[in-house]
Amino acid sequence: MKTINKTKIYFLMVSALLVASGCKKESFVEANLNPTTLYEVKPEDQFLRAAVGSQDDFEYYADVYRAANVWMQYTTPLTGNGLNFNNVGSQFNTRYGKIFYGRLGPALVDAIKIIEAMPDADKNARVNMKAISQILLSYYAFYVSDINGSIPYSQAFQARYGGTTTPAYDTQQAVFAKVDAELKAAVATLKSNASAQISLGANDPYFGGDATLWAKAANALRLKIAIRLMKVDPTKMKAIATEVLSDPVQMANVNDSWMLKVGPSYADGTGNFNPGNFAAGKPVLDFLVAKGDPRLSAFYRPNSAGNYVGSFTSPDDAKLPANAPLYAPSSTLLSQLQHRLFTPNYNENDGFGAGTGKGFYPVLTYAEYCFLRADLAARGVTTDVAEKWYKNGVYASVQFYSDRAVDAKVSNFNAVTVSAIDTYYNTVGIKYDATKATDQIACQAYLDFYRQPLEAWAWWKRTGFPNTTSVLAWSELKGNGSILQLARRAGLTLLSNIDLNYPNQQAAIAEMAKNPDFGAGPNDPFGRVWWDKK
């Protein structure tokens, strides 16, 4: 495994891939030693630092490629899944300490505190910037709690500003409620603020500082959080969804999709971001081929013979003698991930060298927003027309991935036409069927989560789709004849008993353990967090 130098990612590459930071090292160091000089660091630079740091090569190495991608049957290693592939490795959960508490949270709180410490005129010119910083912070708090449960949030990141060095843990229920309130307030600010504002501009690699696009994203995120409450607080889910959808500021097309936009070398194809040596999962590939899905060549590469051949996702199937030729050391029979959709600078050894396209990291696409609305409608939570939003989602997802594949300069990929999407949508099994509504919606959302397998994992936990009998049928996973269960949460890394915050963590674990579904202990990944009910 090759580890990528983080200084290179955060500082040297940012200038070439995103924008010039302009934040001098001396000022940053001084600001982090002396809170009274925070104003010397620009909040927009701290926002950029957080945005660039929101993705991590090790998260892709440990959490995406070797965990969620294989659990969700998008891929297998070229050698097939091993008997214990469903286990959670010790390196899983990069989002928690390394990203959120290590860099993103501190940078965004700095940005907010810098603005709050400014003279009124300067502060008033950055109201939108503060709200946008809060949206990104709120999203990541939700993202971390989503698989961990209770986390320090309301008291976290405050030690430099007179707060505690031993922040209490908020329950997941409290985190979700707090984040929803923060997002609601941020949307109100972005909609109502008419005064002249200093924009994040190029320091915002998501939306370029566009306040309306950020308000749309925050509303969509509120729907995502609300639907997590489906089994634990359906009344609140409906209240949030109803409130959000009464607001006319909503995502309207693929250009409203929330994603980090990067240059060709941000996710270096020669390091931990490398998507090579992973085969296409047979259930997904076979479905795409059977239905003539226009996303096929964006998602997967044909094998050396120009055919699409998927890998068996069940370890027992992969080791059958009849399938041995697929997994021979020199075999080129299996289709692989479409490398440049993950790492645009990937060298395909086709004589043209490293790729030069653009990369992306989706946070919440317009297609997902459509599927959220479709799912809520199909369950009778809203008065939306489920078929309309399902169809919107299918069209949006195909268009989104076509655009991304073109931007990434995926070899031999041609932009998908509207007529091709029309043909796909009218295929049996794809066109909306009210008798299979929640199944179809979840399975199409699952395809849209191809670049977000950790979110596909969340939808699977909430809906039970895909499964072995769904529209897109998974394989039954067996190892030595035994059914293999999939993980449902992160194992919790325990603090040392001499750590000052050890008592707070122990109290949080004890509280979570009152949930009968929590599992055998803090490190049991087959247990469940609060929202993930049976």
Side-chain angles (χ1 to χ4, degrees):
M1 179 185 72
K2 179 179 178 181
T3 300
I4 294 176
N5 185 290
K6 295 304 174 194
T7 302
K8 180 181 178 183
I9 288 180
Y10 294 148
F11 297 104
L12 299 182
M13 292 174 67
V14 166
S15 61
L17 307 175
L18 299 171
V19 295
S21 167
C23 178
K24 293 184 179 179
K25 183 176 180 181
E26 312 86 69
S27 297
F28 179 78
V29 172
E30 181 184 359
N32 279 275
L33 292 174
N34 183 1
T36 63
T37 64
L38 271 176
Y39 59 86
E40 296 182 15
V41 177
K42 295 180 180 180
E44 51 267 44
D45 291 335
Q46 291 293 67
F47 183 89
L48 176 63
R49 178 178 174 82
V52 176
S54 66
Q55 301 301 322
D56 188 87
D57 67 319
F58 208 79
E59 182 172 38
Y60 265 71
Y61 180 87
D63 297 35
V64 174
Y65 294 142
R66 290 158 181 81
N69 253 3
V70 292
W71 298 343
M72 295 292 101
Q73 304 198 30
Y74 292 116
T75 66
T76 78
L78 287 180
T79 53
N81 283 326
L83 294 176
N84 299 314
F85 86 96
N86 61 318
N87 288 344
V88 177
S90 61
Q91 298 169 329
F92 185 77
N93 200 20
T94 308
R95 71 180 76 178
Y96 188 93
K98 189 175 184 182
I99 299 178
F100 187 50
Y101 293 106
R103 54 177 183 249
L104 185 140
L108 289 172
V109 172
D110 261 0
I112 292 168
K113 292 294 184 180
I114 291 167
I115 293 170
E116 290 177 345
M118 287 179 170
D120 286 347
D122 295 328
K123 183 191 308 182
N124 293 338
R126 292 172 175 81
V127 172
N128 284 355
M129 190 182 297
K130 180 181 175 183
I132 292 168
S133 299
Q134 182 62 63
I135 291 170
L136 185 55
L137 180 66
S138 297
Y139 161 71
Y140 220 89
F142 160 72
Y143 179 62
V144 172
S145 176
D146 199 42
I147 65 169
N148 287 281
S150 300
I151 62 169
Y153 183 49
S154 58
Q155 295 180 5
F157 313 115
Q158 301 300 314
R160 292 187 57 241
Y161 317 104
T164 180
T165 57
T166 56
Y169 283 62
D170 299 275
T171 66
Q172 185 170 75
Q173 184 177 8
V175 172
F176 283 17
K178 179 174 174 57
V179 164
D180 180 67
E182 290 167 344
L183 294 170
K184 179 180 177 179
V187 170
T189 296
L190 294 172
K191 288 171 57 181
S192 64
N193 185 35
S195 61
Q197 292 289 296
I198 296 173
S199 173
L200 281 165
N203 283 53
D204 172 10
Y206 299 102
F207 294 121
D210 189 304
T212 300
L213 291 177
W214 273 106
K216 291 179 178 182
N219 271 334
L221 180 54
R222 290 190 70 197
L223 284 185
K224 181 200 282 274
I225 296 169
I227 212 167
R228 290 287 204 275
L229 308 179
M230 186 177 80
K231 295 178 181 177
V232 289
D233 197 343
T235 301
K236 187 168 185 179
M237 172 186 68
K238 183 171 184 175
I240 295 172
T242 301
E243 182 177 75
V244 169
L245 295 179
S246 69
D247 186 343
V249 178
Q250 301 290 334
M251 284 186 171
N253 55 62
V254 292
N255 295 324
D256 290 341
S257 296
W258 182 2
M259 60 179 166
L260 181 70
K261 304 165 189 173
V262 300
S265 300
Y266 177 88
D268 186 6
T270 66
N272 288 336
F273 279 113
N274 186 348
N277 300 318
F278 290 99
K282 184 174 174 60
V284 181
L285 185 65
D286 286 355
F287 182 84
L288 297 178
V289 171
K291 302 301 182 184
D293 195 307
R295 291 166 289 195
L296 174 62
S297 59
F299 286 5
Y300 299 114
R301 293 172 56 81
N303 66 11
S304 58
N307 301 316
Y308 286 98
V309 178
S311 173
F312 291 90
T313 52
S314 174
D316 282 0
D317 289 339
K319 69 180 183 180
L320 290 173
N323 296 326
L326 293 173
Y327 304 103
S330 59
S331 173
T332 58
L333 297 176
L334 291 172
S335 295
Q336 293 193 31
L337 294 178
Q338 188 57 270
H339 305 132
R340 286 183 181 167
L341 198 71
F342 292 83
T343 56
N345 77 341
Y346 196 92
N347 189 336
E348 299 288 6
N349 294 316
D350 54 6
F352 295 101
T356 58
K358 300 174 184 176
F360 70 105
Y361 291 87
V363 178
L364 203 165
T365 66
Y366 172 63
E368 181 187 353
Y369 168 80
C370 293
F371 293 130
L372 285 167
R373 293 191 69 164
D375 199 30
L376 288 165
R379 296 175 188 278
V381 179
T382 68
T383 58
D384 274 339
V385 177
E387 180 175 6
K388 168 191 171 182
W389 287 103
Y390 169 76
K391 183 176 181 180
N392 287 352
V394 172
Y395 275 71
S397 182
V398 176
Q399 184 63 59
F400 178 80
Y401 277 105
S402 175
D403 292 346
R404 303 287 75 74
V406 170
D407 282 351
K409 298 185 180 179
V410 168
S411 301
N412 301 315
F413 180 84
N414 296 314
V416 179
T417 64
V418 174
S419 62
I421 308 177
D422 289 338
T423 300
Y424 172 66
Y425 181 77
N426 286 297
T427 302
V428 175
I430 303 300
K431 190 170 184 178
Y432 185 78
D433 179 348
T435 66
K436 300 178 181 179
T438 54
D439 182 343
Q440 283 187 309
I441 293 163
C443 287
Q444 282 294 329
Y446 165 77
L447 291 175
D448 188 60
F449 293 138
Y450 176 77
R451 275 296 312 271
Q452 293 176 278
L454 292 157
E455 185 59 32
W457 183 36
W459 269 63
W460 168 77
K461 287 183 283 185
R462 181 178 64 83
T463 68
F465 298 115
N467 57 47
T468 56
T469 61
S470 57
V471 171
L472 190 165
W474 270 358
S475 296
E476 186 174 55
L477 302 175
K478 288 187 176 182
N480 287 334
S482 298
I483 299 294
L484 300 177
Q485 302 298 319
L486 294 180
R488 302 192 75 95
R489 65 171 172 86
L492 306 179
T493 301
L494 299 179
L495 297 176
S496 165
N497 60 8
I498 62 173
D499 190 290
L500 292 177
N501 219 32
Y502 178 78
N504 281 338
Q505 187 190 51
Q506 289 298 300
I509 291 172
E511 182 63 30
M512 286 190 285
K514 293 178 182 178
N515 177 356
D517 298 328
F518 181 67
N523 289 311
D524 180 5
F526 302 102
R528 300 174 185 237
V529 293
W530 168 74
W531 70 263
D532 180 20
K533 303 298 290 184
K534 295 180 180 177

